[in-house]
Amino acid sequence: MPITTETIETLIELAKQVSQKAYCPYSQFSVGSAILLSNGEIYSGCNVENISYGLSLCAERNAISHAVTQSEEKIELQMVVVYTPTATPTSPCGACRQVILEFANDNTQILCICDSDQQLKIRIEDLLPHAFNRIETSSS
Ligand code: THU
């Protein structure tokens, strides 16, 4: 089912709002993500940094973890919106691409928005080509 303009506007607004909750004292780079599941549910998340930098959690993975935690069923991503307070869109990091893929379907859309009219709308298969998506050994 196509995603309505109204739903996309809701996701954009939510991603912007939740970016204001980012805990990012080290990078000062606040990120907000809002995701739409195939069942119509919407979840959001911001980035949460840590003094041990590698423990920092990106907004997209936070939103997805939130959905896994709260949703009653196995989650499937219909759309992932990522907002950064920048002049050009920022696309998800490699770790987030792999986690998005885990819950993606063939039509999952990723929409990266910023403070200008520029946006990037892209499919996960184009963000993460030749992805690692199964465990297979020579004996399996
Ligand atoms: N960040 C995200 O939340 N999502 C991304 O896809 C890229 C990076 C966060 C992680 C870190 O808190 C800050 O942005 C700077 O890298």
Side-chain angles (χ1 to χ4, degrees), residues 68-126:
V68 169
T69 307
Q70 298 295 324
S71 189
E72 295 294 329
E73 45 197 286
K74 183 178 183 296
I75 72 159
E76 190 180 82
L77 296 169
Q78 210 178 340
M79 180 172 258
V80 177
V81 173
V82 186
Y83 165 77
T84 51
T86 48
T88 55
T90 306
S91 61
C93 78
C96 288
R97 293 177 195 201
Q98 188 74 44
V99 172
I100 290 168
L101 180 71
E102 185 77 23
F103 298 102
N105 63 29
D106 290 343
N107 296 311
T108 303
Q109 302 274 342
I110 296 155
L111 176 65
C112 307
I113 53 159
C114 59
D115 284 337
S116 73
D117 286 341
Q118 285 188 47
Q119 45 176 242
L120 172 71
K121 195 171 180 189
I122 191 165
R123 286 171 190 277
I124 186 63
E125 69 203 50
D126 295 322

Side-chain angles (χ1 to χ4, degrees), residues 27 29 31 47 49 58-60 91-93:
S27 72
F29 191 64
V31 187
N47 52 330
E49 297 185 343
C58 290
E60 300 90 318
S91 61
C93 78

